[in-house]
Amino acid sequence: MRCFIIIAVLSCLLALCNSTYVVISNLKISKPYQVQDTLCYTTDPIFNVTVNQAVHNIIAISGHPTSFFANSDCTYMVAMAYDTAGKFIDVYRPIRSFSVQSTY
């Protein structure tokens, strides 16, 4: 029984090590996402700001390279970020989806 508990704990730790944490903010709201695969994720509609609006999007990631897209099906890339070490990067385009570019 102890062996199974140890295996379960190690599996959870391994999954956390392979996670990518993406934070998208626009100075009104900040939303964190934890990603463990390469699927296309849609973002909160509040990040659909346009270029001429005063508020723009900022992103920070920890983990694998991540691409950000201006449409909901991950085909029109507007930014790509590597591990930002907690620093935010400006994105002057709408962000409607993102995907992690690394395979696990």
Side-chain angles (χ1 to χ4, degrees):
M1 181 69 176
R2 238 182 256 176
C3 180
F4 292 116
I5 293 173
I6 292 172
I7 290 173
V9 168
L10 289 176
S11 297
C12 290
L13 289 175
L14 183 61
L16 287 175
C17 291
N18 284 332
S19 295
T20 297
Y21 297 94
V22 177
V23 179
I24 304 174
S25 177
N26 65 1
L27 304 177
K28 291 181 181 178
I29 189 170
S30 180
K31 186 156 185 179
Y33 298 90
Q34 181 181 359
V35 182
Q36 296 181 355
D37 51 33
T38 59
L39 298 176
C40 182
Y41 288 87
T42 56
T43 61
D44 195 293
I46 199 161
F47 303 120
N48 295 345
V49 297
T50 59
V51 178
N52 59 357
Q53 289 178 323
V55 178
H56 58 276
N57 295 317
I58 53 176
I59 56 173
I61 69 163
S62 173
H64 298 285
T66 304
S67 296
F68 297 88
F69 302 91
N71 56 0
S72 60
D73 61 355
C74 291
T75 55
Y76 181 62
M77 188 166 66
V78 293
M80 183 170 184
Y82 297 90
D83 197 338
T84 59
K87 297 177 183 173
F88 281 92
I89 299 172
D90 291 331
V91 178
Y92 294 100
R93 296 280 186 260
I95 297 176
R96 292 185 178 95
S97 61
F98 68 91
S99 68
V100 175
Q101 298 300 307
S102 179
T103 57
Y104 297 105

